[in-house]
Amino acid sequence: MENGKSKNPYFTIVMPTYGVEKYIERAILSIQKQTFADWELIVVDDCSPDRSGQIAEKYGAEDSRIRIIRHEVNQGVSAARNTGTKAASGEYIWYMDPDDYVDAVLLEQVYASIECSPVQAVLFGHVEEYYDKRGSLQYTHSICPKEHCFKTAEELRPHIVELEQETLYGYPWNKFYRLSYIRELKLEYENVKLIEDIVFNIQYFMDIETLNILPITPYHYGKKLEGNLTNKFVPDYFILHRRRIEMLFDQFSYWGICTEEVRSILGSLYGRYILSALERNCNKQAGMDHAQRYRWCRQVFSDGLFNELIPAARAKKSMSLRIALLFFRWKRTILCLTMGRGIYIVRRLMPVVYSKVKSGR
């Protein structure tokens, strides 16, 4: 207590919760085991159909730092995060997923970084843990960034495209944000599938000047080889990811640094999404016959964003993407459709092989 008032915690952790009774205890325990104790955990029970909320309440009854907020109806992860943000009282806020877990030193390392160099955001790496449908761990893949303390926008902005290329820009759970800045921007998560995280981050990072990057991988991100949202059929998959690339392109244009290298990287990322969409179009749920897939492909080839970025795209490591980019630049529709069909067959029959190739292993 200070002057009769409760001292606000340094960190607020927001954990949107829905259908994760198998994992949430592990997530909460990984927070309680933190070597830095000045935190609050806000679990937002988004009208979960299982025991997720009750499990969180058990821990909340034993630890005053844990609060549970309930939604009377399911509203989705974006709304749950927004609810947690409104209730937060920390200096910094962190959005953790309830089916993941973290190493015990994470908060201490982030705090030490901020004490050394106060910033608007802190970013760190993670370990991707791939599980089959039985819950057995198949393999892991670590993504660890290089250490850096950015103190000016001019220094920071050219590095953002590398973070996106390394899959480190879009996620919210590998970043701590200054809560007062979120409120100053009146920033909220948009209710949109697949890209709500990157939309939020693009808006948050648009005008920031300072960022600490920590060369650590304390976050354990569980990925299911079958059954998660990125694997499920989403009708608007391509439309949403085209928007992602367009927003990134607009951000670099706003910064005045949409260089040939930036176009090359964004083009290769866009190429990956087009290739993935070609594969997804083969799914029965897409309801597309060969003629419709052919017309879809021709429409993509005529799109302004495609013609802005694909000619500059380069695939440095992936042979499959290198071949796809050649087909895209030549606008060879039949070759593109054939490649999409081949990837669809591999993904359906050999999901582990598909996932390893996709993650760059």
Side-chain angles (χ1 to χ4, degrees):
M1 301 283 285
E2 291 183 359
N3 300 322
K5 295 182 179 180
S6 298
K7 178 180 176 295
N8 288 340
Y10 195 79
F11 294 119
T12 293
I13 304 155
V14 172
M15 188 179 290
T17 298
Y18 182 85
V20 288
E21 65 179 5
K22 293 181 180 179
Y23 311 103
I24 191 168
E25 185 171 33
R26 181 183 64 178
I28 293 173
L29 286 173
S30 75
I31 299 301
Q32 288 188 312
K33 291 176 182 176
Q34 291 296 306
T35 54
F36 182 87
D38 191 11
W39 51 263
E40 67 172 349
L41 170 61
I42 300 175
V43 177
V44 182
D45 179 4
D46 192 28
C47 197
S48 184
D50 61 6
R51 295 182 58 255
S52 299
Q54 293 94 306
I55 294 170
E57 284 182 342
K58 183 190 77 169
Y59 283 94
E62 300 168 352
D63 191 335
S64 61
R65 297 172 297 178
I66 301 174
R67 287 191 283 154
I68 291 81
I69 300 176
R70 289 185 176 276
H71 283 172
E72 294 302 318
V73 295
N74 177 254
Q75 300 179 45
V77 66
S78 291
R81 287 179 181 155
N82 292 336
T83 295
T85 302
K86 290 173 184 175
S89 59
E91 289 289 322
Y92 288 83
I93 189 168
W94 171 40
Y95 302 97
M96 179 184 173
D97 284 351
D99 49 356
D100 299 328
Y101 64 101
V102 292
D103 295 342
V105 294
L106 171 59
L107 295 186
E108 183 178 349
Q109 290 175 311
V110 172
Y111 176 77
S113 170
I114 296 170
E115 283 292 288
C116 179
S117 179
V119 286
Q120 291 159 297
V122 178
L123 179 149
F124 46 89
H126 62 276
V127 179
E128 295 176 348
E129 298 181 346
Y130 289 83
Y131 297 87
D132 63 18
K133 58 184 177 182
R134 296 170 297 179
S136 299
L137 180 65
Q138 297 299 299
Y139 67 96
T140 63
H141 178 215
S142 296
I143 300 178
C144 185
K146 294 179 181 178
E147 185 173 18
H148 206 115
C149 293
F150 294 99
K151 298 183 183 299
T152 66
E154 292 71 25
E155 182 187 15
L156 168 62
R157 289 172 176 176
H159 191 72
I160 295 297
V161 73
E162 295 177 29
L163 295 177
E164 171 64 9
Q165 190 177 30
E166 296 167 0
T167 70
L168 291 167
Y169 189 37
Y171 297 127
W173 39 252
N174 70 337
K175 299 172 187 68
F176 282 69
Y177 309 85
R178 186 181 286 278
L179 180 59
S180 61
Y181 189 61
I182 289 177
R183 288 175 172 164
E184 178 185 330
L185 295 177
K186 298 180 180 177
L187 184 57
E188 293 187 334
Y189 280 89
E190 183 179 331
N191 184 23
V192 58
K193 287 184 177 180
L194 295 180
I195 63 168
E196 70 275 3
D197 299 345
I198 187 66
V199 170
F200 181 90
N201 283 331
I202 287 172
Q203 293 172 327
Y204 185 88
F205 277 73
M206 192 65 76
D207 291 304
I208 71 169
E209 299 179 345
T210 56
L211 169 71
N212 288 350
I213 298 180
L214 307 184
I216 57 175
T217 56
Y219 194 94
H220 298 262
Y221 173 36
K223 300 188 77 172
K224 300 177 183 65
L225 293 172
E226 301 174 357
N228 63 14
L229 184 56
T230 55
N231 287 334
K232 288 180 180 178
F233 181 79
V234 178
D236 294 333
Y237 173 88
F238 179 72
I239 294 172
L240 292 168
H241 283 297
R242 186 198 177 281
R243 180 186 170 194
R244 175 193 187 116
I245 296 297
E246 187 170 40
M247 287 186 71
L248 287 165
F249 181 71
D250 289 345
Q251 182 169 56
F252 286 102
S253 298
Y254 168 75
W255 289 339
I257 56 170
C258 206
T259 62
E260 191 66 21
E261 176 66 14
V262 168
R263 290 172 187 268
S264 174
I265 293 172
L266 292 183
S268 67
L269 292 171
Y270 190 29
R272 289 180 184 275
Y273 292 132
I274 295 171
L275 189 58
S276 184
L278 285 167
E279 177 265 321
R280 289 166 185 262
N281 287 348
C282 296
N283 192 309
K284 289 182 180 180
Q285 291 178 276
M288 298 174 73
D289 58 24
H290 178 78
Q292 289 170 315
R293 289 194 291 271
Y294 186 95
R295 286 195 296 272
W296 180 92
C297 206
R298 300 306 300 176
Q299 288 173 354
V300 171
F301 291 162
S302 65
D303 180 53
L305 190 65
F306 177 94
N307 291 293
E308 181 76 48
L309 296 178
I310 293 301
R314 298 293 180 272
K316 296 179 180 179
K317 297 180 181 180
S318 172
M319 179 58 70
S320 59
L321 180 60
R322 193 175 305 159
I323 295 169
L325 289 175
L326 281 175
F327 294 168
F328 294 161
R329 280 194 285 270
W330 296 340
K331 299 188 177 181
R332 299 293 179 86
T333 307
I334 297 299
L335 291 176
C336 292
L337 295 177
T338 301
M339 192 170 188
R341 171 64 67 177
I343 295 172
Y344 172 76
I345 292 170
V346 171
R347 180 177 182 176
R348 187 180 59 171
L349 300 180
M350 296 178 285
V352 174
V353 172
Y354 168 84
S355 183
K356 285 186 177 183
V357 170
K358 187 177 180 182
S359 65
R361 290 177 61 79

